[in-house]
Amino acid sequence: MPSCSKNNPVSEILGTQYPIVLGAMRLITHARLAAAVSNAGGFGLIAASGMAPETLRRQLEEVKTLTDKPVGVNIPVYRPNARELIEVAIEMGVKAISTSAGNPAKIMGLAREGGLKVVHKVSSLAMALKAQDAGVDAVTAMGFEAGGHVGREHVTTFCLIPQLVDNLDIPVIAAGGIADSRGAAAAFALGAQGVEMGTRFVLCTESGAPAFFKDCLKNADCEATLILGKEAMPIRVLKNAVTKMVAGMDAGEADKAMIKSGDATYVMSGGDRQTAVMPCGQTAGLVAGEQSVEEIIREITEGFRRIGRQMETSFFS
Protein backbone atom coordinates (compact mmCIF):
# COMPACT_ATOMS: atom_id res chain seq x y z
CA MET A 1 0.00 0.00 0.00
CA PRO A 2 1.42 3.44 -0.88
CA SER A 3 2.92 4.97 2.25
CA CYS A 4 3.01 8.69 1.59
CA SER A 5 0.70 11.26 0.09
CA LYS A 6 2.78 11.96 -3.03
CA ASN A 7 2.40 8.33 -4.14
CA ASN A 8 -1.37 8.02 -3.77
CA PRO A 9 -4.13 10.41 -4.88
CA VAL A 10 -6.43 9.57 -1.96
CA SER A 11 -3.67 10.22 0.57
CA GLU A 12 -2.87 13.46 -1.24
CA ILE A 13 -6.50 14.62 -1.09
CA LEU A 14 -6.86 13.76 2.58
CA GLY A 15 -3.35 14.71 3.69
CA THR A 16 -2.61 11.31 5.22
CA GLN A 17 0.22 8.80 5.32
CA TYR A 18 -2.01 5.90 4.28
CA PRO A 19 -5.18 5.80 2.13
CA ILE A 20 -7.18 4.23 4.97
CA VAL A 21 -10.39 5.97 6.04
CA LEU A 22 -12.44 5.49 9.18
CA GLY A 23 -16.02 4.72 8.18
CA ALA A 24 -18.38 7.25 9.75
CA MET A 25 -20.76 5.71 12.29
CA ARG A 26 -23.23 7.99 14.02
CA LEU A 27 -22.48 8.47 17.74
CA ILE A 28 -19.54 6.04 17.53
CA THR A 29 -16.92 7.80 15.42
CA HIS A 30 -16.31 10.78 17.67
CA ALA A 31 -13.15 12.69 18.54
CA ARG A 32 -11.21 9.96 20.36
CA LEU A 33 -11.60 7.28 17.69
CA ALA A 34 -11.12 9.72 14.80
CA ALA A 35 -7.93 11.07 16.37
CA ALA A 36 -6.57 7.57 16.93
CA VAL A 37 -7.04 6.67 13.26
CA SER A 38 -5.39 9.89 12.12
CA ASN A 39 -2.48 9.44 14.54
CA ALA A 40 -1.90 5.96 13.10
CA GLY A 41 -1.61 7.38 9.57
CA GLY A 42 -5.18 7.04 8.33
CA PHE A 43 -8.01 9.55 7.99
CA GLY A 44 -10.26 9.84 11.00
CA LEU A 45 -13.84 10.96 10.49
CA ILE A 46 -16.26 12.44 12.99
CA ALA A 47 -19.81 11.39 12.13
CA ALA A 48 -21.88 14.58 12.28
CA SER A 49 -25.22 13.00 11.33
CA GLY A 50 -27.83 14.20 13.78
CA MET A 51 -25.43 16.59 15.52
CA ALA A 52 -26.18 20.18 16.35
CA PRO A 53 -23.54 22.64 15.08
CA GLU A 54 -22.35 23.37 18.63
CA THR A 55 -21.88 19.65 19.30
CA LEU A 56 -19.72 19.31 16.21
CA ARG A 57 -17.72 22.37 17.24
CA ARG A 58 -17.00 20.77 20.63
CA GLN A 59 -15.98 17.52 18.95
CA LEU A 60 -13.54 19.35 16.68
CA GLU A 61 -12.15 21.30 19.62
CA GLU A 62 -11.56 18.01 21.44
CA VAL A 63 -9.95 16.32 18.46
CA LYS A 64 -7.42 19.16 18.22
CA THR A 65 -6.21 18.25 21.71
CA LEU A 66 -5.69 14.64 20.62
CA THR A 67 -3.95 14.94 17.24
CA ASP A 68 -2.25 17.40 14.93
CA LYS A 69 -3.02 15.18 11.93
CA PRO A 70 -5.89 15.78 9.46
CA VAL A 71 -9.34 14.77 10.69
CA GLY A 72 -12.51 15.09 8.63
CA VAL A 73 -16.25 15.22 9.17
CA ASN A 74 -18.98 13.11 7.57
CA ILE A 75 -22.09 15.12 6.75
CA PRO A 76 -25.20 13.55 5.18
CA VAL A 77 -26.44 16.04 2.59
CA TYR A 78 -30.12 15.31 3.33
CA ARG A 79 -29.86 16.57 6.91
CA PRO A 80 -31.59 19.98 7.29
CA ASN A 81 -28.53 21.49 8.98
CA ALA A 82 -25.95 20.12 6.54
CA ARG A 83 -24.81 23.58 5.45
CA GLU A 84 -24.48 24.75 9.06
CA LEU A 85 -22.32 21.72 9.84
CA ILE A 86 -20.09 22.42 6.84
CA GLU A 87 -19.72 26.01 7.99
CA VAL A 88 -18.56 24.77 11.40
CA ALA A 89 -16.07 22.42 9.74
CA ILE A 90 -14.65 25.30 7.71
CA GLU A 91 -14.52 27.56 10.77
CA MET A 92 -12.63 24.88 12.73
CA GLY A 93 -10.00 24.36 10.05
CA VAL A 94 -11.13 21.04 8.59
CA LYS A 95 -9.57 20.47 5.15
CA ALA A 96 -11.59 17.52 3.83
CA ILE A 97 -15.11 16.26 4.43
CA SER A 98 -17.08 13.15 3.54
CA THR A 99 -20.64 13.56 2.29
CA SER A 100 -23.40 11.03 1.77
CA ALA A 101 -27.15 10.54 1.36
CA GLY A 102 -27.98 13.27 -1.11
CA ASN A 103 -26.80 15.29 -4.09
CA PRO A 104 -23.36 16.80 -3.34
CA ALA A 105 -24.03 19.59 -5.86
CA LYS A 106 -26.13 21.23 -3.13
CA ILE A 107 -23.08 21.89 -0.97
CA MET A 108 -20.15 22.08 -3.41
CA GLY A 109 -20.23 25.87 -3.72
CA LEU A 110 -19.99 26.31 0.04
CA ALA A 111 -17.32 23.63 0.32
CA ARG A 112 -15.15 25.20 -2.36
CA GLU A 113 -15.54 28.66 -0.83
CA GLY A 114 -14.19 27.19 2.41
CA GLY A 115 -11.32 25.39 0.71
CA LEU A 116 -12.67 21.93 1.46
CA LYS A 117 -11.92 18.73 -0.39
CA VAL A 118 -15.07 16.61 -0.78
CA VAL A 119 -15.36 12.81 -0.90
CA HIS A 120 -18.90 11.60 -1.64
CA LYS A 121 -20.28 8.14 -0.85
CA VAL A 122 -22.04 6.29 -3.69
CA SER A 123 -23.49 2.84 -4.31
CA SER A 124 -23.96 2.85 -8.09
CA LEU A 125 -22.30 4.07 -11.28
CA ALA A 126 -25.10 6.57 -11.89
CA MET A 127 -24.59 8.11 -8.45
CA ALA A 128 -20.83 8.21 -8.98
CA LEU A 129 -21.08 9.98 -12.33
CA LYS A 130 -23.48 12.50 -10.82
CA ALA A 131 -21.04 13.17 -7.98
CA GLN A 132 -18.15 13.56 -10.40
CA ASP A 133 -20.18 16.04 -12.45
CA ALA A 134 -20.87 17.97 -9.24
CA GLY A 135 -17.13 18.41 -8.80
CA VAL A 136 -16.25 16.14 -5.87
CA ASP A 137 -12.60 15.19 -5.44
CA ALA A 138 -13.17 11.44 -4.95
CA VAL A 139 -15.93 8.95 -4.28
CA THR A 140 -16.29 6.23 -1.69
CA ALA A 141 -17.85 3.23 -3.40
CA MET A 142 -19.96 1.35 -0.89
CA GLY A 143 -20.73 -2.26 -1.71
CA PHE A 144 -23.84 -4.01 -0.41
CA GLU A 145 -21.74 -5.89 2.17
CA ALA A 146 -21.27 -2.67 4.14
CA GLY A 147 -22.79 -1.93 7.52
CA GLY A 148 -25.19 0.90 8.22
CA HIS A 149 -27.08 2.56 5.39
CA VAL A 150 -26.45 0.79 2.07
CA GLY A 151 -27.58 1.29 -1.50
CA ARG A 152 -30.89 0.07 -2.86
CA GLU A 153 -29.06 -1.37 -5.87
CA HIS A 154 -27.62 -4.37 -3.95
CA VAL A 155 -24.35 -4.14 -5.94
CA THR A 156 -21.42 -5.82 -4.20
CA THR A 157 -17.97 -4.30 -3.74
CA PHE A 158 -16.33 -6.70 -6.18
CA CYS A 159 -18.64 -5.59 -8.98
CA LEU A 160 -18.98 -1.92 -8.04
CA ILE A 161 -15.33 -0.92 -7.71
CA PRO A 162 -14.02 -1.91 -11.16
CA GLN A 163 -17.12 -0.45 -12.83
CA LEU A 164 -16.48 2.91 -11.19
CA VAL A 165 -12.75 2.79 -11.84
CA ASP A 166 -13.40 2.17 -15.54
CA ASN A 167 -15.81 5.10 -15.87
CA LEU A 168 -14.54 7.84 -13.54
CA ASP A 169 -11.69 10.31 -13.74
CA ILE A 170 -11.47 10.76 -9.97
CA PRO A 171 -10.11 8.36 -7.32
CA VAL A 172 -12.29 5.60 -5.89
CA ILE A 173 -12.20 4.54 -2.24
CA ALA A 174 -13.57 1.05 -1.58
CA ALA A 175 -15.97 0.41 1.30
CA GLY A 176 -17.92 -2.69 2.29
CA GLY A 177 -16.48 -6.12 3.00
CA ILE A 178 -13.06 -4.81 4.05
CA ALA A 179 -11.69 -5.60 7.50
CA ASP A 180 -8.05 -6.57 7.05
CA SER A 181 -5.07 -6.54 4.70
CA ARG A 182 -6.66 -9.16 2.43
CA GLY A 183 -9.68 -6.98 1.80
CA ALA A 184 -7.50 -3.93 1.25
CA ALA A 185 -5.32 -5.78 -1.25
CA ALA A 186 -8.39 -7.07 -3.10
CA ALA A 187 -9.80 -3.52 -3.30
CA PHE A 188 -6.58 -2.19 -4.81
CA ALA A 189 -6.47 -5.13 -7.25
CA LEU A 190 -9.92 -3.99 -8.41
CA GLY A 191 -8.57 -0.50 -9.05
CA ALA A 192 -9.46 1.34 -5.85
CA GLN A 193 -6.90 3.78 -4.49
CA GLY A 194 -8.09 3.79 -0.91
CA VAL A 195 -10.17 1.77 1.56
CA GLU A 196 -12.76 2.67 4.19
CA MET A 197 -13.61 0.49 7.17
CA GLY A 198 -16.32 0.94 9.78
CA THR A 199 -17.18 -2.39 11.40
CA ARG A 200 -13.52 -3.24 12.00
CA PHE A 201 -13.05 -0.08 14.02
CA VAL A 202 -16.12 -0.74 16.19
CA LEU A 203 -14.08 -3.50 17.78
CA CYS A 204 -11.00 -1.54 18.81
CA THR A 205 -9.80 -0.28 22.17
CA GLU A 206 -10.45 3.37 21.26
CA SER A 207 -14.04 2.71 20.18
CA GLY A 208 -16.78 3.97 22.49
CA ALA A 209 -19.24 1.33 21.33
CA PRO A 210 -21.04 -0.45 24.23
CA ALA A 211 -19.50 -3.65 25.55
CA PHE A 212 -22.51 -5.70 24.42
CA PHE A 213 -22.03 -4.46 20.82
CA LYS A 214 -18.37 -5.46 20.91
CA ASP A 215 -19.24 -8.86 22.39
CA CYS A 216 -21.81 -9.46 19.64
CA LEU A 217 -19.17 -8.69 17.02
CA LYS A 218 -16.63 -11.03 18.59
CA ASN A 219 -19.09 -13.92 18.33
CA ALA A 220 -20.64 -13.07 14.94
CA ASP A 221 -20.23 -14.78 11.59
CA CYS A 222 -20.82 -13.50 8.06
CA GLU A 223 -24.50 -14.45 8.30
CA ALA A 224 -25.05 -12.39 11.44
CA THR A 225 -26.56 -9.35 9.69
CA LEU A 226 -29.78 -8.46 7.91
CA ILE A 227 -31.23 -5.51 6.00
CA LEU A 228 -33.96 -3.31 7.46
CA GLY A 229 -35.92 -0.50 5.81
CA LYS A 230 -35.61 -1.90 2.32
CA GLU A 231 -37.82 0.67 0.61
CA ALA A 232 -36.79 3.84 2.47
CA MET A 233 -33.17 3.96 3.64
CA PRO A 234 -31.86 0.37 3.75
CA ILE A 235 -29.61 -0.34 6.70
CA ARG A 236 -27.52 -3.44 7.45
CA VAL A 237 -27.56 -4.36 11.13
CA LEU A 238 -26.75 -7.25 13.43
CA LYS A 239 -29.53 -9.78 13.97
CA ASN A 240 -31.18 -9.72 17.38
CA ALA A 241 -34.70 -9.90 18.79
CA VAL A 242 -35.76 -6.41 17.75
CA THR A 243 -34.25 -6.42 14.25
CA LYS A 244 -35.69 -9.87 13.48
CA MET A 245 -39.09 -8.58 14.55
CA VAL A 246 -38.84 -5.56 12.25
CA ALA A 247 -37.50 -7.72 9.42
CA GLY A 248 -40.61 -9.91 9.73
CA MET A 249 -42.93 -7.00 8.93
CA ASP A 250 -43.96 -6.24 5.36
CA ALA A 251 -41.65 -3.74 3.67
CA GLY A 252 -43.87 -0.69 4.14
CA GLU A 253 -44.48 -1.33 7.84
CA ALA A 254 -40.79 -2.06 8.42
CA ASP A 255 -39.85 1.25 6.83
CA LYS A 256 -42.36 3.10 9.00
CA ALA A 257 -41.03 1.42 12.13
CA MET A 258 -37.46 2.36 11.31
CA ILE A 259 -38.32 5.97 10.51
CA LYS A 260 -40.42 6.31 13.68
CA SER A 261 -38.13 4.65 16.19
CA GLY A 262 -34.75 4.28 14.49
CA ASP A 263 -33.05 7.03 16.51
CA ALA A 264 -34.58 5.85 19.77
CA THR A 265 -33.37 2.27 19.35
CA TYR A 266 -29.97 3.06 17.84
CA VAL A 267 -27.20 1.29 19.73
CA MET A 268 -25.69 4.41 21.27
CA SER A 269 -29.10 5.61 22.50
CA GLY A 270 -29.54 2.75 24.97
CA GLY A 271 -30.86 -0.79 24.91
CA ASP A 272 -28.97 -4.06 25.11
CA ARG A 273 -27.83 -6.87 22.81
CA GLN A 274 -31.45 -7.87 22.06
CA THR A 275 -33.16 -4.45 21.88
CA ALA A 276 -30.60 -2.13 20.28
CA VAL A 277 -30.19 -1.57 16.55
CA MET A 278 -26.50 -2.22 15.82
CA PRO A 279 -25.33 -1.16 12.34
CA CYS A 280 -22.79 -3.71 11.16
CA GLY A 281 -21.29 -5.04 7.93
CA GLN A 282 -20.85 -8.62 6.78
CA THR A 283 -17.23 -8.32 7.90
CA ALA A 284 -18.63 -9.14 11.34
CA GLY A 285 -17.54 -12.68 10.52
CA LEU A 286 -13.95 -11.51 10.03
CA VAL A 287 -13.66 -9.47 13.22
CA ALA A 288 -12.87 -11.50 16.31
CA GLY A 289 -10.35 -9.79 18.57
CA GLU A 290 -10.18 -6.28 20.01
CA GLN A 291 -7.02 -4.45 19.00
CA SER A 292 -5.83 -0.87 19.12
CA VAL A 293 -6.24 1.33 16.05
CA GLU A 294 -2.47 1.40 15.65
CA GLU A 295 -2.33 -2.42 15.61
CA ILE A 296 -5.15 -2.63 13.06
CA ILE A 297 -3.52 -0.19 10.65
CA ARG A 298 -0.12 -1.80 11.09
CA GLU A 299 -1.60 -5.19 10.23
CA ILE A 300 -3.18 -3.77 7.09
CA THR A 301 -0.08 -1.96 5.83
CA GLU A 302 2.35 -4.77 6.60
CA GLY A 303 -0.02 -7.43 5.34
CA PHE A 304 -0.67 -5.47 2.16
CA ARG A 305 3.02 -5.57 1.24
CA ARG A 306 3.27 -9.28 2.08
CA ILE A 307 0.19 -10.17 0.03
CA GLY A 308 1.53 -8.25 -2.96
CA ARG A 309 4.69 -10.35 -2.94
CA GLN A 310 2.77 -13.59 -2.42
CA MET A 311 0.33 -12.89 -5.25
CA GLU A 312 3.07 -12.29 -7.78
CA THR A 313 4.92 -15.45 -6.72
CA SER A 314 1.86 -17.71 -6.73
CA PHE A 315 0.42 -16.40 -10.00
CA PHE A 316 3.61 -16.73 -12.03
CA SER A 317 5.10 -19.83 -10.40
Side-chain angles (χ1 to χ4, degrees):
M1 179 173 289
S3 60
C4 61
S5 60
K6 66 182 180 181
N7 291 336
N8 179 278
V10 170
S11 292
E12 187 172 4
I13 289 167
L14 302 177
T16 61
Q17 183 179 8
Y18 304 119
I20 299 173
V21 180
L22 169 63
M25 297 171 282
R26 189 168 66 86
L27 303 181
I28 294 176
T29 51
H30 276 193
R32 180 169 177 249
L33 180 53
V37 171
S38 292
N39 282 331
F43 188 64
L45 278 172
I46 293 173
S49 181
M51 277 189 186
E54 282 305 315
T55 304
L56 177 58
R57 184 176 285 106
R58 289 194 295 271
Q59 283 289 309
L60 290 171
E61 288 171 349
E62 181 181 352
V63 89
K64 286 184 176 181
T65 70
L66 300 172
T67 185
D68 60 356
K69 302 293 194 300
V71 171
V73 180
N74 171 257
I75 301 171
V77 176
Y78 82 95
R79 288 283 186 177
N81 65 348
R83 293 182 68 85
E84 293 178 80
L85 295 172
I86 293 172
E87 288 169 354
V88 170
I90 294 168
E91 173 193 331
M92 297 298 294
V94 171
K95 302 301 182 185
I97 63 172
S98 165
T99 55
S100 56
N103 184 355
K106 296 179 180 179
I107 56 86
M108 285 305 298
L110 176 60
R112 289 298 185 238
E113 288 172 11
L116 291 174
K117 299 289 188 181
V118 179
V119 179
H120 190 65
K121 183 163 286 185
V122 302
S123 56
S124 70
L125 176 59
M127 291 173 64
L129 290 171
K130 188 174 182 179
Q132 178 173 264
D133 289 343
V136 304
D137 297 280
V139 295
T140 298
M142 179 181 59
F144 195 57
E145 305 95 324
H149 290 294
V150 295
R152 299 182 184 89
E153 301 82 7
H154 297 197
V155 182
T156 63
T157 299
F158 246 65
C159 296
L160 182 61
I161 301 304
Q163 186 178 193
L164 267 55
V165 169
D166 288 348
N167 287 279
L168 298 180
D169 299 318
I170 55 178
V172 176
I173 300 168
I178 302 167
D180 54 25
S181 57
R182 296 169 296 179
F188 271 71
L190 295 171
Q193 293 177 301
V195 294
E196 177 182 292
M197 299 185 301
T199 300
R200 183 64 190 92
F201 286 119
V202 170
L203 192 59
C204 71
T205 54
E206 295 88 347
S207 165
F212 68 80
F213 191 179
K214 292 185 176 183
D215 287 341
C216 287
L217 266 179
K218 290 176 184 177
N219 297 302
D221 59 26
C222 290
E223 298 177 19
T225 67
L226 52 77
I227 299 290
L228 299 179
K230 296 178 182 179
E231 292 184 0
M233 295 180 69
I235 182 171
R236 184 178 296 280
V237 299
L238 279 174
K239 295 177 182 175
N240 62 10
V242 72
T243 58
K244 287 179 181 177
M245 178 187 71
V246 174
M249 300 176 181
D250 66 65
E253 290 302 312
D255 285 340
K256 290 177 184 177
M258 289 304 298
I259 292 170
K260 181 178 180 180
S261 62
D263 283 353
T265 57
Y266 184 75
V267 63
M268 299 302 286
S269 302
D272 56 34
R273 64 192 303 132
Q274 292 300 334
T275 62
V277 174
M278 295 176 279
C280 182
Q282 289 183 329
T283 55
L286 305 176
V287 177
E290 187 169 353
Q291 298 174 288
S292 70
V293 166
E294 184 177 6
E295 289 171 328
I296 292 169
I297 291 183
R298 184 187 309 122
E299 185 279 328
I300 292 171
T301 55
E302 292 179 355
F304 191 101
R305 295 186 179 96
R306 182 180 63 253
I307 290 169
R309 294 191 295 268
Q310 291 172 344
M311 288 174 64
E312 182 174 2
T313 299
S314 62
F315 189 85
F316 292 105
S317 61

